[in-house]
Amino acid sequence: MIVCKFGGSSVQNPSQIKKVCNIVLSNKKREVIVVSAPGRDEEFHQKITDHLLNIVTEGSHFREHNIDISKTKSYAVVIKKFKDLCKGLELKEDDFIPFLEKDLTQCTLKAEKREAFFLSRGEHYNAKIICAYMKRIGLNAHLSLPEEIGFILSEDYLDGKVQAQTYENVKHYFKFEEEKIYIVPGFYGITLQNEIAVMSRGGSDLTGGELAYALDSDSYENWTDTNGVYEVDPRIIPEANVIPRLTFKELRLLSSKGFNVFHFNAMLNCKKSKIPIHIKNTNNPEHAGTIIISERVPMEDLVGIAKLDNMASIHLQKDMLGEEIGFSAELLKIFGEFGINTYHYPTDKDDISILVEQEDLQGKINNLRRQIEKRLKTDHLFVTYNLSIITLVGIGLKENSFAIVDAISALKEKNITFEMFDMSPSKISFHIGVSQTISDIALEILHEKMLNIGC
Ligand code: ASP
């Protein structure tokens, strides 16, 4: 049995939904289908979930992001989206639209509960429509709402966490019969008070991951609009290949802001149960995609190269700091007090540097410096901004530390200097810090030398 999740772009219009049906039909093991809200609208190119948030916040959601879309416009966009789906799939509008209108105009809930209810409507009505369409074309589709399954979330209405009893409820609910297909709306669940709560944004991935875990499914297919996880960011290097197989750990190391394929928490339980996650493209189902697994034979040293931009390095100098017990602990405590997440800590006898995301320093760097100098009596503190950290990842690196030599030599050949170097304790990744101005070139050089061999 396979749990599949189809993301917003895979279910955003009638022709995409028809592709989903073909995919489901092409493998009988695809028995549990989790769906997102119908992606983006055609006029403003905003997600339907964001429009729903805009309606419930009286237009402040888009206003806060300097986007000029009123509550009334968002309402019209949402209704149009669902009407278009009904029309294109030849379903009766009256079976869905009046109920949606009522939910969006007559809801008496307040504050967070109200927001969660509105946010959930995208998935709720999309699942209803997709299920009705599947039935119309003769499939044995069955709508399974989170409230019926017993998909229980904590009472953090806008960031609900899956509760343990969900797993038992799921096991009891699903009965796998010949050709039966369950359609489940993602992203939301119910609290023990029977009220709707949503998980964090992108939460349909989590619904799929949790169902796959509870049902111990053979695999969890995550259908999206890209061919899989790329060895480097394809926006920088368009000829980048998709990585066919990688481990959960490698994926964690490769992910960086803006390059996340799916919600990480969705992996946690699949990882625990060693359920493979298969990332596939709804628009290109023939492509093999990427399989994420717990263990693999390392056929190559390196699988991918990630790049994290807009980093800053805070370099402290103090005679004998290496011998001062508790120095690093106090330093990290100060960063913690400012709510700043820290990355690597290259250190030496009289020096230590801390890498942070540059934007975390905004409005804080002055006081941070003051606290560090006052409490740790440092001799010097230098801040270098606009660094990029390039991370080379692969479980095979553990057996071949000379890959590091190849990477550094490749940079040397092209006269690319670097600011920082760090090998991770697991030995399956290493980091090279370069100035952001040359980071795309550095990435190209490393890709060419280390991954493009023989192409
Ligand atoms: N529709 C929700 C969102 O946009 C959840 C999801 O698509 O996974 O965040």
Side-chain angles (χ1 to χ4, degrees):
M1 190 273 296
I2 297 173
V3 173
C4 300
K5 178 257 168 178
F6 289 89
S9 60
S10 302
V11 285
Q12 70 181 1
N13 58 38
S15 66
Q16 289 298 92
I17 291 175
K18 287 176 187 169
K19 285 185 195 168
V20 168
C21 289
N22 288 335
I23 291 167
V24 172
L25 273 173
S26 66
N27 185 344
K28 284 206 168 112
K29 287 175 79 183
R30 295 184 175 129
E31 291 173 275
V32 177
I33 313 298
V34 176
V35 295
S36 281
R40 292 174 193 272
D41 74 281
E42 282 76 32
E43 190 183 347
F44 301 106
H45 306 288
Q46 296 294 339
K47 290 179 88 174
I48 291 302
T49 307
D50 285 300
H51 281 294
L52 290 164
L53 189 53
N54 201 41
I55 299 170
V56 71
T57 59
E58 305 287 331
S60 71
H61 172 58
F62 282 140
R63 218 176 303 126
E64 273 163 20
H65 292 89
N66 292 324
I67 302 170
D68 180 24
I69 307 175
S70 67
K71 170 191 173 180
T72 325
K73 276 191 194 150
S74 282
Y75 182 83
V77 163
V78 171
I79 300 296
K80 181 176 182 308
K81 179 59 122 183
F82 283 101
K83 280 189 175 175
D84 287 349
L85 286 178
C86 292
K87 195 161 169 235
L89 298 171
E90 294 172 52
L91 298 170
K92 273 199 264 137
E93 251 182 55
D94 279 357
D95 290 343
F96 308 96
I97 306 299
F99 298 96
L100 171 63
E101 285 172 338
K102 187 167 167 250
D103 280 354
L104 300 185
T105 54
Q106 293 175 28
C107 169
T108 54
L109 293 166
K110 298 270 174 297
E112 284 194 333
K113 295 181 186 174
R114 182 181 174 81
E115 214 168 284
F117 178 75
F118 272 65
L119 282 167
S120 70
R121 297 302 84 186
E123 272 71 11
H124 181 85
Y125 283 97
N126 213 20
K128 283 190 163 168
I129 287 175
I130 292 169
C131 187
Y133 173 68
M134 287 187 168
K135 279 186 179 154
R136 193 178 72 63
I137 61 169
L139 302 182
N140 183 14
H142 182 89
L143 181 70
S144 303
L145 299 177
E147 45 272 52
E148 295 159 355
I149 300 172
F151 197 90
I152 312 288
L153 296 182
S154 61
E155 279 162 43
D156 313 294
Y157 288 87
L158 298 174
D159 190 14
K161 306 279 181 295
V162 177
Q163 302 297 289
Q165 58 267 62
T166 298
Y167 305 117
E168 280 308 309
N169 294 345
V170 168
K171 269 185 222 151
H172 282 111
Y173 178 89
F174 289 92
K175 306 267 175 290
F176 294 102
E177 293 156 19
E178 196 60 17
E179 319 234 310
K180 188 167 182 181
I181 301 162
Y182 290 96
I183 309 297
V184 186
F187 184 40
Y188 83 94
I190 47 155
T191 65
L192 284 175
Q193 315 303 321
N194 235 342
E195 287 163 324
I196 283 180
V198 291
M199 294 179 274
S200 51
R201 292 300 301 270
S204 301
D205 282 342
L206 283 166
T207 309
E210 298 292 11
L211 293 183
Y213 170 70
L215 298 167
D216 197 25
S217 73
D218 294 337
S219 88
Y220 170 31
E221 290 182 349
N222 198 286
W223 290 83
T224 173
D225 53 7
T226 116
N227 283 338
V229 181
Y230 286 85
E231 54 192 9
V232 282
D233 188 340
R235 291 168 303 190
I236 304 171
I237 299 173
E239 63 275 17
N241 294 308
V242 165
I243 307 171
R245 295 162 80 77
L246 78 169
T247 62
F248 289 106
K249 176 83 178 164
E250 286 169 322
L251 180 64
R252 274 282 294 140
L253 295 172
L254 276 177
S255 73
S256 58
K257 273 192 178 165
F259 189 36
N260 287 341
V261 199
F262 74 113
H263 205 303
F264 266 109
N265 294 348
M267 289 193 331
L268 297 177
N269 276 334
C270 289
K271 180 172 177 248
K272 216 195 288 174
S273 282
K274 304 190 172 52
I275 297 172
I277 300 179
H278 200 166
I279 300 190
K280 295 272 293 171
N281 190 349
T282 302
N283 303 318
N284 188 9
E286 304 311 319
H287 194 286
T290 297
I291 299 185
I292 303 154
I293 38 190
S294 297
E295 200 175 333
R296 67 179 184 88
V297 179
M299 306 291 285
E300 64 292 275
D301 297 334
L302 196 72
V303 282
I305 310 176
K307 179 160 84 77
L308 200 56
D309 290 333
N310 300 314
M311 300 295 288
S313 152
I314 299 176
H315 174 185
L316 275 65
Q317 278 183 350
K318 181 181 182 184
D319 282 344
M320 315 283 284
L321 74 76
E323 274 88 38
E324 197 175 316
I325 290 171
F327 185 94
S328 315
E330 182 67 6
L331 179 61
L332 295 180
K333 189 164 166 243
I334 297 173
F335 278 93
E337 286 165 9
F338 280 83
I340 299 173
N341 193 15
T342 54
Y343 286 70
H344 316 279
Y345 326 121
T347 160
D348 205 346
K349 282 211 175 293
D350 304 328
D351 298 77
I352 183 167
S353 73
I354 303 278
L355 282 171
V356 297
E357 284 185 34
Q358 197 154 291
E359 66 174 29
D360 286 351
L361 294 180
Q362 268 174 29
K364 295 182 181 167
I365 180 63
N366 198 65
N367 287 337
L368 180 77
R369 180 187 280 274
R370 245 183 98 200
Q371 283 297 320
I372 294 176
E373 287 174 349
K374 197 160 96 189
R375 284 158 62 179
L376 293 168
K377 313 266 178 303
T378 47
D379 298 333
H380 299 286
L381 189 157
F382 313 98
V383 187
T384 312
Y385 293 105
N386 298 321
L387 285 175
S388 294
I389 307 300
I390 299 179
T391 303
L392 295 90
V393 179
I395 52 170
L397 288 173
K398 209 171 181 169
E399 263 56 71
N400 178 16
S401 43
F402 292 127
I404 294 173
V405 181
D406 294 339
I408 302 294
S409 312
L411 293 178
K412 178 174 180 264
E413 269 166 37
K414 302 281 181 194
N415 225 355
I416 300 281
T417 52
F418 56 93
E419 311 291 325
M420 184 218 96
F421 179 84
D422 185 32
M423 184 179 177
S424 84
S426 65
K427 288 167 70 183
I428 67 169
S429 69
F430 59 94
H431 314 279
I432 303 173
V434 299
S435 156
Q436 196 156 308
T437 46
I438 52 165
S439 68
D440 282 0
I441 305 167
L443 187 68
E444 269 170 44
I445 294 168
L446 291 170
H447 173 256
E448 178 66 30
K449 171 83 180 186
M450 313 284 292
L451 287 165
N452 219 11
I453 307 153
C455 294

